Amino acid sequence: MGLKFLSDINLEAANDVQFKTTAGAAAGKIEQDGNDLVLSNAVGDILLGDGNADVYIGDGTNSVDILFEVSGSVSAESGAALTLGGAGGTLSLTSPTITG
């Protein structure tokens, strides 16, 4: 089984990881652009998690910083502050209902 996985990955000239559909069309890709790691998919979405479970995002060492719950709520964990927007940015809320 490990050999099939290795044969499905093509390292292009820039050492990108390019996935292809069964028809041979370019699909998902992992590439480095300067200091950024870019995940892209020309033929569909990019999903984090299985869609039926919460997604926890942190630095991999400390406690989780942000929790995206299946119910649609986003919260800060471990006493961390959750900041929306930033300097020079615009925060736009459309038809919000704010409670609490």
Side-chain angles (χ1 to χ4, degrees):
M1 289 216 170
L3 294 176
K4 178 166 179 28
F5 176 75
L6 291 176
S7 68
D8 290 342
I9 296 176
N10 295 323
L11 293 177
E12 304 293 335
N15 290 324
D16 299 339
V17 177
Q18 175 71 63
F19 297 90
K20 306 227 180 224
T21 66
T22 54
K29 182 161 86 172
I30 303 170
E31 63 183 310
Q32 187 169 358
D33 182 9
N35 290 330
D36 299 328
L37 183 63
V38 180
L39 303 175
S40 60
N41 187 0
V43 296
D45 297 330
I46 297 175
L47 306 175
L48 301 174
D50 66 10
N52 293 316
D54 297 342
V55 175
Y56 297 86
I57 298 179
D59 62 10
T61 303
N62 298 299
S63 297
V64 171
D65 297 320
I66 301 173
L67 170 60
F68 295 85
E69 296 186 56
V70 173
S71 64
S73 60
V74 177
S75 61
E77 289 282 288
S78 309
L82 178 63
T83 303
L84 300 175
T90 301
L91 177 61
S92 176
L93 300 173
T94 304
S95 300
T97 299
I98 300 175
T99 60

